[in-house]
Amino acid sequence: MDEQPARDDALYELAFPAPQVTRPDGTGPVLIHALEGFADAGHAVALAAAHLRDSLESELVATFSSDELMDYRSRRPTISFSGETFTDVEMPSLALHAIRDNSGKGFLLLAGSEPDLRWEQFVDAVRRLSDGLGVTDVIGLNAIPMAVPHTRPPSITAHGSDPDALGDLPRWGSAMKLPASASMLLELRMGEHDYRASGLSVHVPHYLAQTNYPAASARLLAAVAELTGLDLPLAALDSAAEKVRAQVDTEVEGNTEIESVVAALETQYDTFTQAAQERASLLAAEESLPSGDELGAELERFLAEQTGTGEADPGDEGPRSPI
């Protein structure tokens, strides 16, 4: 017998009673999606989502079915063994929460593991949920490895179905083809259904892509606040970023080879930044900048590094290795 496709309502379970998400003025909430596993260099997306849930008032709206959406053989869950018996297992999760910012304004956060399966059905389920919850804007968070130094503020680029809504945030500036993600497909499909859909990609030093990099998380949330007017807490992430910066500086100091690489990245970054002030984009310089193919290759290399490694623990605050 042929397997029947999963219905949208089989992909998730709604919480009861459902939390109130409509704002006092009658407008609907913004939906932020933060899917881990693909473009999450420095675990910046996972850290940002966890920070929002932990530091603000949060209520569960819906839980998505891992059995329907995840391929456990491609990203095997971690199971604990005492030496005599299995004691616990960490299964992937994906859930939608209603959260209130510092001023009490509500928004939605879809966060957890990126689905491996049924992307179109997953996206359609999110759209139908958004229709029912009165969502107005949809913003996706991404973090990609780039040739940037940890000694400079994280840079960011933005994209979306309504370029005017992105304000002064830098754009990519060139066309490219790259491996897709569920987050990218969600942005595309929501835009096709007349939602104002956008995405934010923060640039993480490529040599820190495998460790937690809270500076990138703080930059993502600052950009979200800029686009939406939400009052989001950033102090704890900024503090964590300072600690990580100090740890990386300590490991780099005295290693002449690494110091020379960082110095070269600083020179490149400063040159691009100066050009950006004149051309309104960090990626607008014509010389020495990575091309679309190079950016795509950088992402492909990052994906190759992730294959078979499983998902990192966002609670591990220290860098594992600067290089």
Side-chain angles (χ1 to χ4, degrees):
M1 180 179 296
D2 293 337
E3 181 182 356
Q4 295 298 313
R7 303 188 317 274
D8 286 350
D9 58 4
L11 296 184
Y12 62 86
E13 180 179 351
L14 290 170
F16 183 83
Q20 177 61 249
V21 295
T22 303
R23 297 173 179 175
D25 62 3
T27 60
V30 171
L31 169 63
I32 301 169
H33 53 97
L35 304 182
E36 308 162 20
F38 175 76
D40 192 15
H43 311 141
V45 173
L47 287 171
H51 177 70
L52 291 176
R53 289 194 304 267
D54 294 343
S55 59
L56 295 169
E57 178 185 341
S58 175
E59 295 180 85
L60 181 65
V61 176
T63 303
F64 283 81
S65 172
S66 295
D67 281 355
E68 295 288 348
L69 296 173
M70 309 299 175
D71 179 359
Y72 300 136
R73 292 180 298 177
S74 67
R75 290 186 292 175
R76 293 183 182 273
T78 300
I79 195 165
S80 299
F81 184 63
S82 69
E84 296 181 344
T85 185
F86 295 106
T87 59
D88 194 17
V89 64
E90 299 176 17
M91 300 297 289
S93 63
L94 178 60
L96 180 67
H97 285 82
I99 302 179
R100 297 192 180 279
D101 72 357
N102 287 328
S103 68
K105 184 183 297 184
F107 64 96
L108 294 168
L109 175 66
L110 175 63
S113 301
E114 178 193 20
D116 298 304
L117 310 171
R118 299 188 171 96
W119 279 9
E120 291 285 10
Q121 291 177 30
F122 164 70
V123 167
D124 195 53
V126 173
R127 180 181 63 81
R128 293 179 185 278
L129 278 170
S130 298
D131 290 346
L133 295 169
V135 167
T136 56
D137 293 64
V138 182
I139 300 177
L141 307 185
N142 304 279
I144 58 176
M146 293 283 282
V148 294
H150 72 279
T151 53
R152 298 293 187 268
S155 53
I156 199 167
T157 51
H159 41 84
S161 60
D162 183 2
D164 292 338
L166 300 176
D168 296 329
L169 289 174
R171 315 296 202 269
W172 282 116
S174 61
M176 68 181 75
K177 290 185 180 293
L178 66 162
S181 71
S183 178
M184 297 174 190
L185 182 63
L186 181 58
E187 179 181 331
L188 173 65
R189 295 294 187 239
M190 295 297 275
E192 290 175 343
H193 283 85
D194 298 325
Y195 281 89
R196 188 159 53 188
S198 58
L200 300 170
S201 297
V202 67
H203 309 153
V204 174
H206 59 84
Y207 52 92
L208 294 175
Q210 302 300 317
T211 190
N212 287 353
Y213 197 62
S217 305
R219 183 66 185 93
L220 278 174
L221 295 187
V224 170
E226 180 181 342
L227 290 182
T228 63
L230 291 170
D231 184 0
L232 303 177
L234 300 177
L237 286 174
D238 289 336
S239 177
E242 291 177 2
K243 293 179 181 179
V244 170
R245 164 69 187 273
Q247 291 172 336
V248 175
D249 284 345
T250 298
E251 294 193 35
V252 170
E253 186 177 2
N255 187 318
T256 55
E257 181 178 354
I258 297 176
E259 286 179 336
S260 65
V261 171
V262 173
L265 291 174
E266 289 174 338
T267 299
Q268 178 177 268
Y269 181 100
D270 293 342
T271 300
F272 294 166
T273 301
Q274 183 177 1
Q277 294 174 349
E278 300 173 356
R279 307 187 187 191
S281 172
L282 178 64
L283 298 180
E286 297 175 355
E287 299 179 0
S288 302
L289 284 171
S291 67
D293 289 342
E294 289 169 336
L295 287 169
E298 187 73 38
L299 286 173
E300 290 185 48
R301 284 193 293 273
F302 175 58
L303 286 175
E305 292 170 0
Q306 297 295 312
T307 302
T309 62
E311 295 188 14
D313 178 7
D316 178 9
E317 294 184 357
R320 296 183 182 89
S321 171
I323 296 295

